Amino acid sequence: MSADLLELRGLSSGYEGSRVLWDIDLAVAGQDILALIGRNGVGKTTLLKTIVGVQAASGGQILLGGQDMTALPSHRRARAGIGYVPQGRHIFPHLSVAENLDAGLSACGTRTRGRRVPDYIFDLFPKLHEVRDRKGGFLSGGEQQQLAIGRALAGAPRLLLLDEPTEGIQPNVVDQIEQALRHAARELSLTIVVVEQYLEFVWRFANRFAAMRDGRIVKEGKTSESKASDVAAFVSI
Amino acid sequence: MSGPLLLAVDGITVDFDGFKALDTFSMTLDKGETRVVIGPNGAGKSTLCDAIIGRVRPAAGRVLFRGEDLTGLSEQAIVERGICRKFQAPGILAGITARENVALAARRDRSWWQAFGKGIPAEEQASVDAVLERVGLADRAEVKAGELAHGEKQWLEIGMVLATGAELVLLDEPTAGMGPAETSRTAELIRDLGDTRSVIVIDHDMSFVEQLAAPVTVMHQGRFLKQGSVEAVRADPEVISVYLGHSA
Amino acid sequence: MDAALLLNQLFNGISVASIYLLAALGLALSFGLMRVINMAHGEMLMLGGYLAYLTLIWVPGAPGILLAIPVAFVGAAAMGALIQLSLIRRLMNRPLDTLLATWGVSLILQQAARDIFGAIGVEVRAPDWLNDSLQFGAVVIPSARLFIILVTILVLGALALLIRRTRIGLTVRAVNQDRMMAGATGIDAGRVDLVVFALGTGIAGLAGVVLALLGPVTPSVGQSYIVPAFLVVIMGGLGSVLGTTVAALLLGLFSALAQTVVDVSAAQMLLLLFVIIFIQVRPQGVISIRSRALDE
Amino acid sequence: GGEESETAAISEDAVKVGILQSLTGTMAISEITVKNATELAIEQINDNGGVLGREIVAVVEDGASEPATFAQKAQKLIEDEEVATVFGGWTSASRKAMLPVFERTQNLLWYPVQFEGNECSPNIMYSGAQPNQQILPALGWAEEEGYESYFLVGSDYVFPRTANLILKKHLEDRGLELAGEAYVPLGGTDFSGVISRIRSADPDIIFNTLNGDSNVAFFKQMQAAGMPPSELPVMSFSIGEQEAQAMGTELVEGSYATWNYFQSMPDEANQSFVGAYQEAYGEDAAITDPMVHGYLNVYAWKAAVEKAGSFDPAEVREAARDLGGIPTPMGEVNFAPNGSLVQTAYVGKLGSDGQFEIVSDSGTPIDPQPYDPLAFPDQSCEV
Amino acid sequence: MLLALGAAAPFYLSGYNLSLLGRFMAFGILAMGIVLIWGHGGILSLGQGVFFGIGAYAMAMHMKLAAAGDGQLPDFMMWSGREALPWWWEPFASPVFAILAVFLLPALLAALFSWLVFYRRVSGVYFALITQALALAFATLLISRQDVTGGFNGLTNFPSLFGLSLADQTVRDGLYWTTLALAALGYAGLRWLLATRFGNLLRAARDAENRIRFLGYNPVPFKVVAFAIAGMLAGVGGALFTMHAGNISPALVGVVPSIEMVIWAAVGGRYSLAGALVAAVALNILRDSVSSAFPELWLYLIGLVFILTVTLLPNGVAGLARRVSRR
Ligand SMILES: Nc1ncnc2c1ncn2[C@@H]1O[C@H](COP(=O)(O)OP(=O)(O)OP(=O)(O)O)[C@@H](O)[C@H]1O
Ligand SMILES: Nc1ncnc2c1ncn2[C@@H]1O[C@H](COP(=O)(O)OP(=O)(O)OP(=O)(O)O)[C@@H](O)[C@H]1O
Ligand SMILES: NC(N)=O
Ligand SMILES: [Mg+2]
Ligand SMILES: [Mg+2]
């Protein structure tokens, strides 16, 4: 295993007046797939947002490949190699599918010039090719989720953050997404942090997990060493 | 198993610049019935809700509620007739407390000239408390709605829909973002509703659908595909091929 | 009403529409992107006008007017950038407040112009070929107005290319639609804002140059075009270039034709009435963008 | 009221007067020059021993180009500063707003600008031209020159509208043709519609009552449309030397104006006034008709005070009528019993140097006529 | 406390200063209306001058008719070449009608206008810009119909009010007391209104208009009613102003004054009724003294005030005061 790609040191964050994350310490090694689990409202989304920088950290440090990201604006972090698939997907509604993917290239920063959206994205998600000229906003939830992942991959990230990728997705598309992600992770040597409620799904897919409770990480481990049913307690009441 | 006909969706077509999100789709719902609608992403489930509630105008077809044609009525006129819908993304008033959210929804008289007073009548107050209890937010009642967690927001919105007293409730993916325990609670909640109201539930979570134990309508590409019990639908090869796949 | 009068006014209407359009484009662009209206936008016209005046003192004649165009564009764009960086950036997500704060800027810029150039208007002496007119039977086409239409078409073409065909345009549209996500995909939204704002004020500076061909440049010259420009933005629909163009044409022609039957002041009244009636029919503006978002 | 101000405003060795002009806003550019001329007169008088042995102390207030502010500041000058009299006003709107204040407090205003008539308050001295001292002489000249068809262009406010109302009656009376009439909002710069209408009306001459910056736009767009003043003559009523120079004389060269004073008047009195003003306010300063009226108002007030032997506004205004000749840059003038100035009208043609060449005059001084008998037959002045 | 201060004013201020305070207080009544619609309703109107103007003109028309005497035309109609009183002037001869008109006309027009716009779901910046165009159009209309509106000059020269001479100091004092009473009444009324469910729904409509629609509320009437109330307050302010100042003209109702009215509320604090009232009075006193001493400076100053309060003090002086007192 390679050295830690993502490292969080004493990270805290919150919204006006309320603190949501408390001193999070977390290390994710290169090419790990980390499942971040926890009940509703424990701060999973907030943690991802703080890592990409669309939410400000109130304390602590975020390191990517040893480089301090904490003070950087989100576009700089994206260019440093953080890809983000948010909860709710956030597709650019009036850009076509092709343009959404193009926008994803921005994460290549100055290297964007002359770049094209890599073909493997359409291989991973053939559906996107079919609807490439439709406006992103007109896609259904499942189509949008595929597009959001494709867009993040277009930026050639080192680290991919996925927030509930199966939420509202029909079962056979969930399968497809899983296949695509596995494939991408392998081919592109991606490191992935995935927030998920659907434990069966992540357990098939992730090699490590971290469980959150009340804004803190309370348990970490390898998925191979604990059963999904053992950690289910962190997800259900 | 249930009362007289409440809702009839009669051959509606919704056309987005040539793309038919709904294509001569029809269904009926009886008083007191709970119905689950499933179907692939993009099948037109949310659009169906939009059409019933008056957010989109069908290019053809009608929506009849208690025999009255709803086509062309404004949203609030439709709400007044007793239909309320929960959106896929939680729709709550972030700036006021959970209780105030429910109280607003619980107001029976929603005209502006009735608003020149403080507080709400005692019987409405009681129903607000009952609703908060029912969706499990009694102890979160004084928290600003915007500060609730995602799942709590979903419940709050279900609570608001209930509080409107609507006879027909449309729930578009009510368990989105919920864990298994919350999902079960939600299912329980919806089953309780069954005695008094008609409910249309849209969801992808098949275990949740199972817990609802209600007839299922399957949509595909804007059209009606199948209808039947959960078991029947799960076993249907056509449904498996377009929707369920083999993992579910 | 005779046909020559009508034809003359049709042409005038198009030239008035061109000015409205140049004045409104920047407003529409930054409105689309940042949901803010810059009340000091009129003063960018003024600035463009004074820069043309200064340029023509320095280089008289035809080269002067051609030089004035880039000078005014750059000058007004720089002023716009300054306003964006110092004020608008700080008021992100507070559109109504931005409106008020920029009104303060507008007052200050007007008074500054008064102190520098005097309260009475200065006159830009255009080269003779711009003071000429072409005559087609009873229809007289002043070359200055023709020049204005030409400049507008060029600006519009360049802008359309920029937005539709370039990467900058793509990033502009992405930020336009989802600012948070644009940042997370690596787009520097702050820079996009700045560029668009400066571009918009630069175009207003151009409007100032062409205005100077028709009338005096005064400290309040922007004020007389800004309200119609706002109406154009309202009619055009959410920051759409095409919508803005169509709306400017509608309003320009409407105002010019109204003036053949009523006084200028009555024509102004009718213009507002027209817009209010228009929004009864198409509240989303000429170009409506459908979206699935619950709150627009 | 007047009684009190007698005691407070006038000390042993000084008397307070008010100057109320727009120092800011659209009118400032014109009104400041009137303020300057007024101050020049006060300074000269003080240098020569003041009035009734007292030094004049001027309190300057800004009317900010808003009628309501004029009224407010007039009230302030009279009730708070307790001035003996006020010099000021330009637009008719400002005068109309101040009028009730002066009537209520029984104070006295000296108004320096040509206007539309239809007013004679006992509490205002009108030294600017009445319509029969500016507009009608201009029409007389144009008729003599053989112009038959008239197009009236004006800013949208009371002076142009009323002036044109009078003009129309006289056109009809004299059997001349009204080719058209158009108004543009004050400060308006879009003349496309107006010019199209002028073109299709094809008049012999334009009578222009546009105010301020609108003139630049109008002349410019006329020129661009192929109708410069050399092709289609224009007679203006609000363009003086200062406006012409600010606009750029090339644009308006060859157009006409009618006033009661032009800077180019050769008399010695005028030369020394122009010299004194330019010494104080710059060599290139243009001198206009309203400035001279602002200047002469102070001298007229001094003469009236001395004649009455009192600063009491009621006595001063009685004394001011028929002073028997006040020497001014425009010659000796006199106030008529109706409170307006008796004065001569001159038609000037603008040269490339920004000065008017006088091409015609009314010969004798004209008695002011606040109500035009043709347009307002039933009205008369009761002072 | 403010009331006490206001009530004490006639005893220590000169006639001129009292009349100034009266007209500024009239502005304050209008500013409280802006707090209602802007602070609590999220509706930014750049056209309050219109409603101010309607109230002011309604009162001025009455006084003008009274000054002209029976059967006589007001002076400006005469010199504009008009021969008969327009029919819509006639009812204003009645003082009762005029007073009713001061309250109801602006409210009705505000309701009609805002209904047309809100009904089509136009709001926010669009609404602000349309109201600005409305202010421009209204001022232009007044100017262009000189024969019936007094044009650019506006209406002036009305020496008496309901048969009482305005030159009389006791009448002027009475006018001041009336203004003070109406300001207090407006303040109390708005406070009550904002505490009702109406206030809650207005704020909900401000924060999430579509949400309350799907709860079965129609947000439009809430916004329309609030806008009409603000219009009425502006109209009352306008009428009082006219009585104090003795004139009304388009210059007071157009684009620039309308925007300045918003700054009163902004400086005072957009959520604070008392703040707006005080700021309207204080800013105008400041303007009066600054513009006398340094006329050039006023525009720079007001421009800076705009920028600084909006960027640094979004809740105005009232918000600052509250923050300071909490410490
Ligand atoms: N914009 C916001 N303003 C204030 N508080 C917020 C905001 N967003 C989230 N929170 C609060 O932060 C806490 C964590 O929320 P977050 O969305 O990170 O939870 P989550 O673990 O992702 O939950 P879910 O599983 O429902 O998505 C919650 O208590 C929530 O109420
Ligand atoms: N406003 C619109 N304009 C154009 N196309 C639209 C619009 N709204 C929806 N669509 C299209 O209509 C189809 C049906 O969408 P709908 O949201 O109803 O699907 P759904 O069944 O709810 O899917 P999901 O399960 O993913 O939420 C989709 O293909 C979508 O792209
Ligand atoms: N009196 C004037 N010119 O307004
Ligand atoms: Mg989450
Ligand atoms: Mg859906």
Side-chain angles (χ1 to χ4, degrees):
Chain A
M1 280 260 167
S2 48
D4 292 342
L5 181 72
L6 174 72
E7 194 183 343
L8 308 180
R9 292 187 189 151
L11 189 66
S12 16
S13 174
Y15 303 92
E16 221 169 292
S18 70
R19 190 161 168 194
V20 176
L21 300 182
W22 302 78
D23 294 320
I24 303 262
D25 288 305
L26 182 70
V28 185
Q31 301 186 37
D32 261 5
I33 295 178
L34 176 84
L36 192 62
I37 58 174
R39 280 182 216 151
N40 294 132
V42 297
K44 306 179 296 294
T45 297
T46 306
L47 180 57
L48 294 200
K49 282 183 174 175
T50 309
I51 298 171
V52 269
V54 295
Q55 165 79 32
S58 55
Q61 265 188 323
I62 302 161
L63 304 172
L64 183 74
Q67 192 191 350
D68 191 351
M69 301 270 117
T70 323
L72 296 184
S74 63
H75 70 273
R76 296 279 299 279
R77 300 191 201 185
R79 290 176 190 187
I82 302 181
Y84 179 44
V85 179
Q87 190 166 22
R89 309 180 275 271
H90 288 266
I91 292 305
F92 301 117
H94 309 302
L95 296 189
S96 69
V97 169
E99 288 173 326
N100 263 285
L101 292 171
D102 263 350
L105 290 175
S106 305
C108 306
T110 49
R111 296 164 291 140
T112 309
R113 207 174 291 273
R115 239 170 208 273
R116 285 191 46 241
V117 175
D119 286 335
Y120 67 80
I121 290 176
F122 294 116
D123 299 341
L124 291 175
F125 303 110
K127 180 87 200 191
L128 293 183
H129 197 78
E130 237 170 83
V131 297
R132 55 177 298 141
D133 293 321
R134 196 173 308 167
K135 283 193 174 183
F138 293 169
L139 300 186
S140 76
E143 295 157 354
Q144 287 190 349
Q145 188 62 267
Q146 302 179 31
L147 177 55
I149 297 171
R151 178 179 60 188
L153 292 179
R158 287 190 277 170
L159 172 68
L160 185 63
L161 307 177
L162 295 163
D163 199 349
E164 309 216 13
T166 65
E167 184 181 340
I169 306 298
Q170 67 188 71
N172 58 349
V173 175
V174 170
D175 293 350
Q176 251 185 52
I177 288 177
E178 184 188 336
Q179 298 311 324
L181 285 173
R182 273 182 196 286
H183 193 254
R186 207 171 335 106
E187 297 295 306
L188 308 171
S189 343
L190 277 179
T191 307
I192 296 177
V193 175
V194 52
V195 168
E196 191 50 79
Q197 306 260 7
Y198 181 9
L199 284 187
E200 280 171 56
F201 167 79
V202 277
W203 240 250
R204 290 198 296 266
F205 172 51
N207 63 336
R208 297 185 60 82
F209 73 92
M212 285 182 74
R213 181 178 284 165
D214 299 336
R216 294 181 172 84
I217 292 196
V218 288
K219 190 173 167 84
E220 278 186 81
K222 288 194 175 139
T223 47
S224 52
E225 289 166 10
S226 12
K227 281 212 220 85
S229 49
D230 295 340
V231 294
F234 291 105
V235 180
S236 37
I237 295 172
Chain B
M1 71 177 258
S2 40
L5 184 67
L6 184 70
L7 177 81
V9 174
D10 182 10
I12 54 172
T13 297
V14 171
D15 192 317
F16 294 112
D17 305 319
F19 173 78
K20 289 198 170 78
L22 283 180
D23 193 355
T24 58
F25 179 81
S26 298
M27 73 176 269
T28 59
L29 189 74
D30 292 337
K31 217 175 159 87
E33 181 180 356
T34 297
R35 175 75 55 82
V36 179
V37 177
I38 62 171
N41 297 123
K45 305 180 295 294
S46 301
T47 308
L48 173 65
C49 291
D50 287 345
I52 295 174
I53 204 77
R55 264 190 105 200
V56 299
R57 296 267 139 96
R62 298 180 306 165
V63 177
L64 300 174
F65 183 65
R66 288 204 217 98
E68 183 192 4
D69 190 351
L70 298 182
T71 325
L73 292 181
S74 72
E75 293 98 320
Q76 64 265 8
I78 292 174
V79 175
E80 259 160 36
R81 280 164 179 68
I83 306 183
C84 197
R85 177 241 179 113
K86 185 206 159 302
F87 285 92
Q88 208 161 345
I92 39 124
L93 301 169
I96 55 180
T97 64
R99 176 188 299 286
E100 285 168 324
N101 265 284
V102 177
L104 271 182
R107 275 302 295 169
R108 281 297 158 272
D109 193 335
R110 304 189 184 100
S111 48
W112 62 271
W113 58 86
Q114 290 292 333
F116 298 112
K118 292 181 191 178
I120 53 173
E123 74 273 12
E124 283 180 19
Q125 186 60 57
S127 80
V128 169
D129 288 335
V131 165
L132 284 167
E133 193 63 46
R134 203 159 175 187
V135 297
L137 290 175
D139 51 343
R140 301 278 280 165
E142 308 309 329
V143 176
K144 278 238 170 82
E147 288 163 19
L148 295 175
H150 185 72
E152 290 173 328
K153 285 179 185 161
Q154 299 279 46
W155 281 350
L156 175 56
E157 204 192 2
I158 294 175
M160 289 164 75
V161 169
L162 296 184
T164 60
E167 210 175 331
L168 171 61
V169 173
L170 313 178
L171 301 171
D172 193 351
E173 304 200 25
T175 67
M178 287 185 183
E182 286 99 331
T183 303
S184 308
R185 270 205 70 176
T186 309
E188 203 177 307
L189 211 97
I190 295 171
R191 277 204 310 273
D192 281 358
L193 290 180
D195 346 321
T196 46
R197 323 199 190 200
S198 308
V199 188
I200 294 178
V201 188
I202 293 171
D203 219 294
H204 288 293
D205 182 340
M206 287 312 286
S207 64
F208 171 64
V209 171
E210 228 156 58
Q211 293 174 51
L212 288 174
V216 177
T217 298
V218 187
M219 294 180 69
H220 182 50
Q221 295 181 342
R223 290 165 172 276
F224 174 87
L225 184 71
K226 275 277 138 53
Q227 181 157 337
S229 68
V230 189
E231 294 72 27
V233 163
R234 279 199 128 163
D236 188 288
E238 216 177 336
V239 177
I240 290 174
S241 94
V242 303
Y243 180 56
L244 295 174
H246 296 281
S247 68
Chain C
M1 195 193 318
D2 58 297
L5 180 63
L6 202 69
L7 283 174
N8 276 318
Q9 275 311 88
L10 273 177
F11 175 78
N12 284 335
I14 296 173
S15 83
V16 170
S18 302
I19 299 176
Y20 287 173
L21 181 57
L22 287 182
L25 270 176
L27 284 169
L29 283 177
S30 40
F31 183 67
L33 191 63
M34 291 162 256
R35 293 288 178 279
V36 299
I37 284 289
N38 172 19
M39 293 293 257
H41 196 73
E43 281 52 60
M44 303 299 113
L45 268 78
M46 170 195 85
L47 183 63
Y50 279 115
L51 286 172
Y53 165 73
L54 294 176
T55 312
L56 272 137
I57 288 179
W58 178 46
V59 188
I65 199 83
L66 295 180
L67 182 65
I69 288 178
V71 167
F73 180 86
V74 171
M79 176 62 84
L82 194 70
I83 294 175
Q84 205 276 342
L85 286 172
S86 59
L87 209 57
I88 292 178
R89 181 154 294 190
R90 284 167 201 274
L91 293 174
M92 214 71 216
N93 300 325
R94 286 162 55 191
L96 297 183
D97 288 353
T98 309
L99 199 120
L100 293 176
T102 50
W103 173 261
V105 175
S106 150
L107 288 181
I108 291 174
L109 290 178
Q110 282 183 51
Q111 186 56 33
R114 226 167 266 130
D115 288 344
I116 298 169
F117 297 99
I120 207 161
V122 298
E123 209 243 310
V124 171
R125 240 11 246 155
D128 288 340
W129 54 273
L130 272 178
N131 281 323
D132 257 351
S133 48
L134 311 172
Q135 192 128 9
F136 303 96
V139 181
V140 177
I141 296 189
S143 27
R145 289 190 182 270
L146 204 59
F147 180 74
I148 291 170
I149 296 173
L150 223 73
V151 169
T152 308
I153 292 174
L154 288 178
V155 167
L156 211 52
L159 195 63
L161 276 182
L162 183 80
I163 291 183
R164 291 280 143 206
R165 293 267 177 273
T166 67
R167 184 142 191 100
I168 296 180
L170 179 71
T171 59
V172 169
R173 286 181 291 149
V175 175
N176 210 328
Q177 293 165 29
D178 192 327
R179 177 167 291 273
M180 181 281 281
M181 199 55 221
T185 47
I187 296 170
D188 185 349
R191 228 190 66 195
V192 169
D193 287 346
L194 182 64
V195 167
V196 167
F197 198 83
L199 182 70
T201 52
I203 295 174
L206 291 184
V209 178
V210 302
L211 263 186
L213 298 176
L214 294 182
V217 181
T218 67
S220 57
V221 65
Q223 294 303 305
S224 33
Y225 284 88
I226 201 68
V227 173
F230 288 154
L231 293 181
V232 168
V233 175
I234 291 167
M235 264 182 73
L238 269 186
S240 141
V241 173
L242 178 62
T244 308
T245 309
V246 173
L249 267 173
L250 278 174
L251 287 183
L253 285 172
F254 181 89
S255 144
L257 291 180
Q259 282 183 36
T260 59
V261 271
V262 297
D263 265 330
V264 178
S265 23
Q268 269 184 17
M269 276 294 302
L270 291 178
L271 203 65
L272 174 69
L273 229 56
F274 177 65
V275 171
I276 290 183
I277 292 169
F278 179 88
I279 60 174
Q280 300 305 306
V281 188
R282 274 194 86 84
Q284 338 74 344
V286 176
I287 299 295
S288 66
I289 297 171
R290 247 190 310 236
S291 147
R292 306 194 76 182
L294 186 53
D295 276 297
E296 294 238 58
Chain D
E3 304 298 290
E4 290 160 15
S5 71
E6 189 73 351
T7 49
I10 302 150
S11 65
E12 274 300 289
D13 46 4
V15 55
K16 259 201 224 177
V17 302
I19 299 179
L20 178 45
Q21 300 286 8
S22 299
L23 309 179
T24 56
T26 49
M27 293 309 299
I29 184 73
S30 304
E31 296 193 34
I32 286 175
T33 65
V34 176
K35 184 209 78 168
N36 291 345
T38 308
E39 283 179 330
L40 179 66
I42 290 173
E43 212 171 286
Q44 288 176 345
I45 291 170
N46 283 339
D47 286 349
N48 289 307
V51 181
L52 292 183
R54 291 176 178 85
E55 186 188 359
I56 310 175
V57 177
V59 182
V60 182
E61 282 287 351
D62 176 17
S65 310
E66 285 168 15
T69 310
F70 271 95
Q72 182 181 319
K73 298 292 187 181
Q75 196 186 349
K76 181 176 190 179
L77 283 171
I78 299 165
E79 294 187 342
D80 236 33
E81 300 283 350
E82 306 187 329
V83 298
T85 193
V86 177
F87 303 96
W90 178 298
T91 63
S92 292
S94 67
R95 190 189 65 251
K96 292 280 182 204
M98 289 188 285
L99 181 142
V101 178
F102 283 92
E103 292 193 343
R104 179 164 62 74
T105 56
Q106 287 300 312
N107 205 293
L108 189 60
L109 170 71
W110 298 78
Y111 177 72
V113 183
Q114 35 80 261
F115 71 117
E116 66 283 357
N118 288 306
E119 180 184 307
C120 42
S121 164
N123 300 86
I124 301 182
M125 302 302 292
Y126 306 87
S127 73
Q130 295 279 3
N132 73 318
Q133 297 172 315
Q134 187 195 24
I135 302 160
L136 294 181
L139 180 61
W141 167 83
E143 189 183 12
E144 246 168 57
E145 293 287 306
Y147 296 117
E148 286 183 349
S149 168
Y150 295 73
F151 198 103
L152 314 179
V153 178
S155 294
D156 204 344
Y157 74 108
V158 64
F159 169 67
R161 280 192 179 269
T162 308
N164 288 342
L165 186 71
I166 296 170
L167 272 171
K168 283 187 286 184
K169 293 280 182 197
H170 285 261
L171 286 175
E172 195 186 337
D173 188 51
R174 298 177 192 198
L176 299 169
E177 190 199 338
L178 172 70
E181 185 181 6
Y183 297 96
V184 171
L186 273 169
T189 52
D190 177 13
F191 283 89
S192 59
V194 174
I195 288 174
S196 291
R197 278 160 69 181
I198 292 176
R199 188 191 302 286
S200 65
D202 193 25
D204 295 340
I205 187 169
I206 293 173
F207 269 36
N208 163 23
T209 40
L210 289 170
N211 215 303
D213 289 323
S214 296
N215 276 306
V216 179
F218 174 67
F219 280 96
K220 215 166 170 161
Q221 293 173 34
M222 283 293 282
Q223 185 180 50
M227 297 183 283
S230 53
E231 303 272 323
L232 178 55
V234 181
M235 165 67 74
S236 303
F237 297 101
S238 298
I239 296 182
E241 289 82 351
Q242 189 206 7
E243 289 79 14
Q245 282 167 29
M247 280 165 67
T249 45
E250 289 159 72
L251 211 55
V252 276
E253 192 185 333
S255 71
Y256 299 93
T258 303
W259 291 101
N260 307 105
Y261 166 89
F262 284 114
Q263 185 180 346
S264 59
M265 295 203 321
D267 320 48
E268 199 182 312
N270 183 39
Q271 294 306 315
S272 80
F273 166 69
V274 170
Y277 189 90
Q278 292 184 335
E279 187 178 337
Y281 295 103
E283 259 178 56
D284 300 327
I287 319 289
T288 62
D289 173 291
M291 290 163 65
V292 170
H293 285 99
Y295 177 81
L296 74 79
N297 280 345
V298 187
Y299 279 96
W301 172 72
K302 170 177 182 279
V305 167
E306 282 166 353
K307 181 173 157 199
S310 157
F311 290 106
D312 178 34
E315 290 175 42
V316 171
R317 75 170 195 245
E318 282 315 313
R321 289 145 220 263
D322 218 0
L323 279 166
I326 317 148
T328 74
M330 45 192 270
E332 284 207 350
V333 291
N334 212 352
F335 279 96
N338 61 20
S340 292
L341 203 64
V342 182
Q343 51 195 338
T344 308
Y346 303 90
V347 178
K349 183 174 187 178
L350 193 69
S352 55
D353 57 351
Q355 294 295 331
F356 288 90
E357 180 200 344
I358 297 175
V359 295
S360 166
D361 67 56
S362 61
T364 51
I366 306 168
D367 277 333
Q369 219 168 39
Y371 293 95
D372 184 78
L374 258 184
F376 310 106
D378 307 330
Q379 305 290 325
S380 65
C381 216
E382 298 145 26
V383 180
Chain E
M1 189 193 69
L2 285 175
L3 195 65
L5 217 62
F11 303 106
Y12 57 81
L13 284 182
S14 73
Y16 166 69
N17 284 320
L18 189 66
S19 124
L20 266 194
L21 185 60
R23 49 188 106 158
F24 297 164
M25 214 176 267
F27 288 151
I29 295 177
L30 176 148
M32 290 193 293
I34 295 181
V35 168
L36 172 69
I37 52 174
W38 181 35
H40 295 267
I43 305 164
L44 177 59
S45 166
L46 303 181
Q48 288 309 92
V50 173
F51 309 111
F52 179 85
I54 291 172
Y57 272 88
M59 186 47 74
M61 282 161 74
H62 169 69
M63 294 200 280
K64 203 69 197 159
L65 287 175
D70 263 350
Q72 290 288 305
L73 277 189
D75 48 10
F76 70 90
M77 289 193 185
M78 184 278 294
W79 72 61
S80 303
R82 236 197 129 79
E83 257 130 46
L85 201 62
W87 61 267
W88 51 272
W89 266 72
E90 274 163 25
F92 286 91
S94 146
V96 177
F97 181 87
I99 292 176
L100 281 178
V102 161
F103 284 84
L104 297 183
L105 268 187
L108 288 177
L109 186 99
L112 178 73
F113 168 80
S114 63
W115 187 78
L116 279 177
V117 180
F118 290 142
Y119 170 71
R120 299 311 311 188
R121 306 200 180 170
V122 171
S123 58
V125 172
Y126 279 164
F127 183 80
L129 296 182
I130 292 177
T131 53
Q132 182 171 54
L134 180 71
L136 179 70
F138 181 65
T140 312
L141 179 71
L142 288 174
I143 290 171
S144 66
R145 299 304 313 275
Q146 181 183 305
D147 57 338
V148 290
T149 63
F152 185 79
N153 284 4
L155 300 178
T156 180
N157 202 4
F158 14 80
S160 67
L161 172 64
F162 308 135
L164 305 165
S165 164
L166 275 171
D168 189 341
Q169 190 56 44
T170 51
V171 175
R172 301 174 74 79
D173 282 352
L175 195 53
Y176 174 81
W177 288 109
T178 311
T179 310
L180 185 65
L182 283 170
L185 196 69
Y187 176 80
L190 286 174
R191 267 205 86 121
W192 167 80
L193 181 71
L194 287 172
T196 62
R197 272 194 310 275
F198 182 91
N200 261 330
L201 276 156
L202 187 64
R203 284 182 286 268
R206 171 191 70 192
D207 296 333
E209 176 162 349
N210 278 328
R211 308 277 191 237
I212 73 168
R213 256 180 224 284
F214 287 107
L215 291 177
Y217 290 95
N218 184 356
V220 175
F222 290 92
K223 292 163 68 171
V224 168
V225 167
F227 198 73
I229 292 173
M232 180 169 80
L233 290 167
V236 170
L240 289 167
F241 174 87
T242 303
M243 293 189 264
H244 281 289
N247 61 60
I248 180 69
S249 75
L252 292 163
V253 307
V255 170
V256 175
S258 293
I259 259 201
E260 245 171 66
M261 292 167 183
V262 176
I263 201 69
W264 302 333
V267 169
R270 70 187 66 168
Y271 307 112
S272 164
L273 296 170
L277 183 63
V278 172
V281 173
L283 277 175
N284 279 289
I285 291 176
L286 183 71
R287 162 187 220 145
D288 186 55
S289 43
V290 171
S291 70
S292 286
F294 315 95
E296 302 285 321
L297 217 60
W298 174 247
L299 282 169
Y300 288 120
L301 195 71
I302 190 78
L304 269 178
V305 167
F306 250 105
I307 296 171
L308 294 180
T309 47
V310 168
T311 48
L312 303 179
L313 290 179
N315 294 329
V317 175
L320 183 72
R322 220 167 297 138
R323 241 188 301 161
V324 168
S325 71
R326 221 180 290 145
R327 293 234 174 99

